[in-house]
Amino acid sequence: MASIALVGPPTVIVFTGGVKRWNEISAANSSTSDKASLSSLLPSRRITRQLQWVAFPSSSSLWKRRSGAVVVKVSEGGAIPISPAWPIAKVSDQNPPPRMKAQSRLFTFGLVAAWYSSNIGVLLLNKYLLSNYGFKYPIFLTMCHMTACSLFSYVAIAWMKLVPMQTIRSRVQFFKISALSAVFCVSVVFGNISLRYLPVSFNQAIGATTPFFTAVFAYLMTLKREAWLTYVTLIPVVTGVIIASGGEPSFHLFGFIICVAATAARALKSVLQGILLSSEGEKLNSMNLLLYMAPMAVVFLLPATLIMEENVVGITLALARDDVKIIWYLLFNSSLAYFVNLTNFLVTKHTSALTLQVLGNAKGAVAVVVSILIFRNPVSVTGMLGYTLTVFGVLLYSEAKKRSK
């Protein structure tokens, strides 16, 4: 049995026997499935993923194909035994074929578009419900979001197997996640409350100051110091919000304070997550973290909404009798809230955390423009200049963080 040495970057192997031959070999090597069993064909744990078979035109000189091919991607290092019955056309350490690259770019573009749509959609729908529609129950609305996240997270992980399920390993880890869930609740509830008083454009301007609060909390809680240039880039971030506040026609002091508190809570949650779940045995990916945080959040929010938003269920049912659309609004809004987290995870997985941060900055600007077009809230030149300065400062901050690493 021959073997292929794997050196350098991930290697792409193209099986050339066609799909029919691939299935024949698969059936011979797997008694439980008529699909390809990579563990039997390639007895190596270095296999990272199997891509769908693709058909290349017969005129393709790059791959010299005449029929369908199965493409397998394996990680670097070691060697993989190859059976003589497994015909190989080419082993490539180079980039995948143009068609595959185009498909990958299209898939990533679709993910980013879905992430943008869900993020902006849930933000605008929250604003519509809490301000324009008159549904003045932000805690109950947040509880609906968390209930949907609990249900959909379980379906995605336990049934659909989108990611492997990670378990809570200790009581200490459980209390750490509970603390994160409480801070998360505060950030979401306060953010929704602020939408009752502030336009989306100003809300996003304040939300863009998250890096400032993250740097402050990181220093206070871990004594971690950034490079001096990183702190300098935070000056335009804060200055821009101050300018935008002075030029905001719809400025509301209470809404401003609550929005700042929501932004600070989001930053605190990210810093706490890095501190509390830093050990290898406690790290959870974002999908599993949401699976455990969301039901905890429902437990925190239920008594709060019953006490602070008395008879909210009865009022919602009464509204539904007059206008059944409120039920559909709540269901759709809650589903979007989960979709935000799902697409956030997928975009990070298929790009990078830094790319997500840059896209997030651009998303804020898009949300501002869309909200102004939809809600027709008045804006001033001073306010837009302030917001532009804030976004520019966030971009400088991201660049400074990248260089410091």
Side-chain angles (χ1 to χ4, degrees):
M1 181 177 287
S3 65
I4 294 179
L6 303 176
V7 181
T11 302
V12 175
I13 298 176
V14 180
F15 172 82
T16 63
V19 178
K20 181 179 179 181
R21 180 64 178 139
W22 171 265
N23 289 335
E24 289 174 358
I25 297 177
S26 300
N29 284 273
S30 176
S31 59
T32 60
S33 173
D34 60 352
K35 297 207 180 276
S37 172
L38 291 181
S39 60
S40 58
L41 289 176
L42 298 178
S44 169
R45 294 184 181 180
R46 296 182 182 87
I47 297 166
T48 55
R49 61 175 169 165
Q50 176 192 345
L51 305 179
Q52 274 189 319
W53 72 274
V54 292
F56 294 102
S58 58
S59 60
S60 173
S61 59
L62 177 62
W63 296 97
K64 298 180 181 178
R65 291 297 305 117
R66 291 186 179 179
S67 59
V70 175
V71 181
V72 180
K73 186 176 181 180
V74 292
S75 61
E76 60 182 312
I80 287 185
I82 298 296
S83 168
W86 197 40
I88 299 292
K90 182 173 183 177
V91 179
S92 173
D93 292 327
Q94 307 303 319
N95 294 326
R99 178 171 176 175
M100 291 177 60
K101 293 173 77 173
Q103 289 175 340
S104 177
R105 283 196 298 267
L106 185 62
F107 177 73
T108 304
F109 177 80
L111 281 180
V112 172
W115 181 61
Y116 265 50
S117 302
S118 58
N119 265 274
I120 297 174
V122 76
L123 179 66
L124 297 180
L125 194 50
N126 283 348
K127 174 64 178 177
Y128 175 75
L129 286 172
L130 295 168
S131 182
N132 297 62
Y133 189 85
F135 187 79
K136 301 178 180 180
Y137 305 101
I139 302 177
F140 178 73
L141 181 63
T142 306
M143 192 178 74
C144 291
H145 290 179
M146 293 301 103
T147 302
C149 288
S150 302
L151 296 174
F152 287 132
S153 293
Y154 184 79
V155 170
I157 297 176
W159 291 0
M160 298 177 66
K161 310 290 185 184
L162 289 183
V163 294
M165 179 172 285
Q166 298 171 289
T167 58
I168 297 178
R169 301 187 178 184
S170 66
R171 184 178 298 179
V172 173
Q173 188 183 16
F174 174 81
F175 284 117
K176 289 178 179 179
I177 296 174
S178 299
L180 286 174
S181 181
V183 177
F184 181 58
C185 283
V186 172
S187 68
V188 178
V189 170
F190 279 22
N192 286 339
I193 292 174
S194 70
L195 287 172
R196 286 184 57 188
Y197 303 97
L198 301 176
V200 173
S201 54
F202 191 42
N203 179 282
Q204 288 295 287
I206 299 171
T209 61
T210 301
F212 168 77
F213 291 102
T214 302
V216 171
F217 285 126
Y219 177 74
L220 292 177
M221 302 178 72
T222 66
L223 298 179
K224 178 184 176 182
R225 292 187 178 183
E226 302 287 352
W228 67 270
L229 185 60
T230 303
Y231 290 115
V232 169
T233 59
L234 293 174
I235 296 175
V237 173
V238 178
T239 305
V241 171
I242 295 173
I243 294 173
S245 302
E248 176 56 47
S250 306
F251 181 82
H252 191 285
L253 181 59
F254 177 74
F256 174 77
I257 294 172
I258 290 295
C259 192
V260 170
T263 305
R266 278 197 298 272
L268 178 61
K269 185 253 179 185
S270 65
V271 174
L272 281 175
Q273 184 174 332
I275 297 173
L276 298 181
L277 302 178
S278 58
S279 66
E280 287 299 323
E282 292 181 329
K283 283 184 179 178
L284 299 173
N285 63 50
S286 59
M287 294 289 287
N288 276 275
L289 186 59
L290 182 66
L291 173 66
Y292 296 115
M293 282 177 52
M296 293 178 185
V298 174
V299 172
F300 292 140
L301 293 169
L302 182 59
T305 191
L306 292 176
I307 295 171
M308 302 176 67
E309 298 175 341
E310 190 176 353
N311 197 28
V312 63
V313 176
I315 294 172
T316 303
L317 293 176
L319 286 172
R321 282 193 290 269
D322 296 331
D323 185 5
V324 73
K325 287 189 294 185
I326 182 63
I327 301 298
W328 294 110
Y329 283 147
L330 291 175
L331 289 174
F332 181 64
N333 194 24
S334 301
S335 301
L336 268 184
Y338 171 73
F339 202 60
V340 168
N341 291 279
L342 176 62
T343 53
N344 185 86
F345 170 79
L346 292 175
V347 170
T348 306
K349 179 180 178 182
H350 289 274
T351 57
S352 67
L354 181 61
T355 302
L356 187 74
Q357 190 175 29
V358 174
L359 291 172
N361 297 331
K363 178 207 52 137
V366 174
V368 168
V369 174
V370 173
S371 68
I372 292 173
L373 293 175
I374 292 177
F375 296 111
R376 305 288 182 179
N377 55 280
V379 292
S380 66
V381 175
T382 304
M384 292 307 297
L385 286 175
Y387 179 68
T388 302
L389 181 60
T390 296
V391 173
F392 180 68
V394 172
L395 293 175
L396 291 178
Y397 173 82
S398 301
E399 183 64 24
K401 286 278 289 183
K402 184 173 70 173
R403 295 195 175 198
S404 66
K405 293 179 180 179

